[in-house]
């Protein structure tokens, strides 16, 4: 007798058509396959154009002769009467955080230090003031055109030339003075909302050069393509900085000295008046398509972690600065050495430096605020000193795993007081002129009315910078396996929690292997049994057919 074969294809076909009917029914019932944030984000960026109510070239206040920068500011304030008082309260003017802690002035104009140019010495180091939005540091009033001017006009040079030529009795030089004045007026009248060039004139070059401080902010972001940044790419959305860094009374969202950049994680879907500084603002907490697995990560993983796979993708960024090796001379003169990127790997006035490109970030728990050291804080020089580090932990509901640039330094500290020191760098008494650490440290600490024991050494330090720009296209996002792997996982530096694929749990692994081996044994025994009984049936059939 021959047994009929079962139609084993019926079961998968039923499952397939059942799943199709279920999906179609769900969609017909109104289930949205796309996250609500995707539609909201498209609406928020639909147009970046803005309309104007004034042509500044027609304002009489801007048609007069200007002999100095403050006179231009006076003309601006004749209409924008509240701008000065507002701006004087912002961190862009004060260089101080809104909240001070334990009598310490937090901010670059205060007691805070870094491991780049170390300190502004309460802004007594004049080289640092070149990025202050005033006509001459803080002493000569605000310079509205730093942020609102739409040209790269050199006002200082123009005012100097105008003063010389306008004082001359020569008719030709008088005419030159008139031409210079027309150029000054034209530049003063050409104003608008801040653009990338305005913001980048300082933020691209912070720390003493292009890409020194931030790994995700350098001159390549002035006109990036969307491959470098999907939001700011000129061949894509072409966002200005103010699209996300929204402003109220001249306070610009984004600073994280003591407070998070965003007070809440509300999206524009929940609150249409919310700031746009956070990814959730436009994309919500469920930015991916309906029921996609990445939506389950957003309570613990920041968007930047997956969507900024590397930073410094066009220009190199400085990753290490060793001040202890500064002061070397060749033939009695300062010298420099350049690396493969054309950047200075050694400079007599600054020491040894290391630059790199396409850097993979380091990852830390981050609740939006940073802990930064000051010249008044006691340090432990026996180990690496964290001058700036992110706050947060895995049990904090506001914390997310976040990407950082970690800059390594080696800088002076007081061996007696156990504090970091703030040398004066520029000027006749600064280290860049004297190459004398004792003198530069004495002058720098004296300018801040702080003690210096005269006994100093150098200590290794780190400084953390959150990485939020250079958002890559979605097809370049970090792949799951780059984190969920035991071999060089991006998350290798984070502990205290179990991550599938990265971590092993011996008891669980043993149980799993036992199940796998047991299943293999069971399948093998079943197969052997089927073969054995099939063989017996065939033999039995042959015996029955034999006469």
């Amino acid at each position: 007798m021959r047994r009929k074969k079962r139609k084993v294809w019926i079961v998968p076909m039923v499952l397939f058509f059942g799943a199709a009917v279920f999906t179609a029914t769900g969609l017909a019932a109104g289930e949205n396959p796309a996250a609500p944030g995707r539609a909201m984000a498209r609406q928020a960026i639909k147009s970046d154009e803005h309309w104007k109510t004034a042509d500044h070239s027609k304002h009489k206040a801007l048609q007069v002769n200007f002999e100095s920068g403050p006179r231009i500011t006076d003309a601006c304030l004749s209409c924008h009467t509240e701008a000065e008082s507002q701006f004087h309260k912002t961190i862009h003017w004060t260089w101080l955080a809104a909240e001070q802690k334990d009598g310490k002035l937090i901010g670059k104009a205060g007691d805070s230090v870094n491991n780049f140019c170390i300190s502004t010495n309460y802004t007594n180091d004049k080289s640092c003031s070149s990025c202050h939005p005033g006509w001459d540091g803080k002493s000569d009033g605000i310079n509205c055109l730093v942020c609102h001017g739409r040209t790269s006009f050199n006002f200082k040079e123009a005012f100097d030339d105008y003063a010389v030529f306008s004082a001359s009795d020569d008719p030709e030089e008088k005419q030159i003075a008139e031409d210079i004045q027309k150029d000054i007026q034209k530049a003063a009248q050409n104003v608008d909302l801040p653009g990338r060039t305005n913001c980048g004139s300082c933020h691209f070059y912070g720390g003493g050069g292009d890409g020194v401080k931030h790994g995700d902010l350098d001159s390549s972001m002035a006109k990036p393509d969307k491959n470098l940044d999907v939001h700011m790419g000129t061949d894509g959305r072409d966002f200005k900085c103010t699209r996300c860094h929204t402003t109220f009374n001249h306070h610009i969202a984004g600073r994280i000295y003591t407070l998070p950049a965003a007070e809440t994680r509300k999206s524009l879907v929940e609150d249409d008046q919310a700031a746009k500084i956070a990814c959730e603002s436009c994309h919500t907490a469920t930015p991916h398509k309906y029921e996609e697995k990445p939506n389950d990560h957003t309570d613990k993983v920041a968007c930047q972690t997956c969507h900024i796979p590397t930073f410094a993708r066009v220009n190199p960024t400085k990753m290490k600065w060793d001040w202890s090796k500064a002061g070397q001379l060749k033939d009695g003169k300062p010298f420099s050495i350049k690396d493969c990127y054309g950047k200075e790997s050694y400079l007599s006035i600054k020491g040894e430096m290391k630059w790199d490109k396409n850097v993979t970030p380091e990852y830390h728990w981050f609740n939006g605020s940073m802990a930064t050291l000051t010249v008044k804080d006691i340090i432990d020089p026996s180990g690496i000193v964290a001058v700036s580090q992110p706050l947060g932990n895995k049990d904090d509901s506001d914390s997310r795993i976040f990407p950082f640039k970690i800059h390594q330094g080696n800088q002076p500290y007081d061996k007696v007081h156990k504090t970091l020191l703030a040398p004066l760098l520029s000027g006749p008494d600064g280290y860049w002129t004297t190459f004398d650490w004792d003198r530069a440290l004495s002058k720098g600490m004296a300018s801040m009315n702080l003690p210096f024991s005269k006994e100093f050494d150098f200590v290794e330090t780190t400084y953390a910078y959150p990485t939020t720009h250079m958002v890559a296209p979605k097809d370049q996002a970090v792949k799951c396996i780059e984190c969920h792997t035991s071999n060089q996982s991006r998350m290798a530096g984070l502990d205290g929690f179990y991550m599938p694929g990265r971590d092993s749990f011996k008891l669980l692994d043993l149980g799993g292997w036992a199940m796998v081996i047991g299943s293999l044994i069971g399948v093998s025994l079943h197969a052997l049994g089927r073969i054995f009984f099939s063989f017996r049936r065939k033999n039995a059939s042959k015996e029955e057919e034999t006469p």
Side-chain angles (χ1 to χ4, degrees), residues 154-359:
N154 190 330
F155 281 96
K156 184 180 186 307
E157 183 179 286
F159 287 131
D160 290 343
D161 290 345
Y162 179 74
V164 172
F165 289 116
S166 63
S168 173
D169 293 329
D170 188 321
E172 291 187 2
E173 293 189 348
K174 286 284 189 183
Q175 182 59 49
I176 293 174
E178 290 182 15
D179 293 340
I180 292 173
Q181 185 58 225
K182 289 179 181 178
D183 290 338
I184 292 174
Q185 291 177 7
K186 185 177 179 180
Q189 296 163 4
N190 190 3
V191 294
D192 202 344
L193 295 176
R196 285 197 294 265
T197 302
N198 298 102
C199 303
S201 64
C202 287
H203 290 285
F204 294 163
Y205 303 94
D210 189 8
V212 169
K213 185 181 289 187
H214 302 279
D216 60 336
L217 276 178
D218 57 40
S219 61
S220 68
M221 294 292 283
K223 293 182 179 180
D225 59 24
K226 60 184 179 183
N227 192 56
L228 178 59
D229 191 290
V230 294
H231 299 114
M232 298 175 69
T234 55
D235 55 344
R237 298 299 182 184
D238 199 17
F239 282 3
K240 295 183 177 68
C241 304
T242 50
R243 169 63 84 172
C244 296
H245 293 272
T246 49
T247 306
F248 179 75
N249 285 347
H250 282 93
H251 290 277
I252 300 176
R255 173 51 61 192
I256 52 172
Y257 256 126
T258 57
L259 297 174
E263 294 182 3
T264 68
R265 293 185 179 274
K266 284 186 177 181
S267 71
L268 297 173
V269 175
E270 303 168 275
D271 178 7
D272 63 359
Q273 296 298 311
K276 297 179 184 177
I277 191 63
C279 299
E280 292 98 321
S281 302
C282 288
H283 297 287
T284 76
T286 53
H288 296 273
K289 290 182 179 179
Y290 182 67
E291 290 189 344
E292 282 191 351
K293 188 60 180 176
N295 283 336
D296 296 336
H297 286 61
T298 58
D299 62 332
K300 294 297 182 183
V301 182
C303 302
Q304 293 91 331
T305 298
C306 296
H307 291 281
I308 308 178
T310 59
F311 55 82
R313 297 204 293 273
V314 174
N315 297 337
T317 185
K318 188 177 289 188
M319 296 300 295
K320 189 172 183 178
W321 190 333
D322 188 348
W323 280 100
S324 70
K325 296 182 179 179
Q328 298 177 25
L329 304 175
K330 276 187 178 180
D331 300 325
K333 296 180 180 180
F335 69 99
S336 66
I337 301 174
K338 291 191 175 181
D339 62 11
C340 59
Y341 302 118
K343 295 289 189 178
E344 290 164 334
S345 58
Y346 184 81
L347 194 60
S348 294
I349 64 172
K350 294 183 177 181
E352 189 174 84
M353 295 158 283
K354 181 182 178 182
W355 298 76
D356 208 351
K357 286 178 66 174
N358 292 309
V359 183

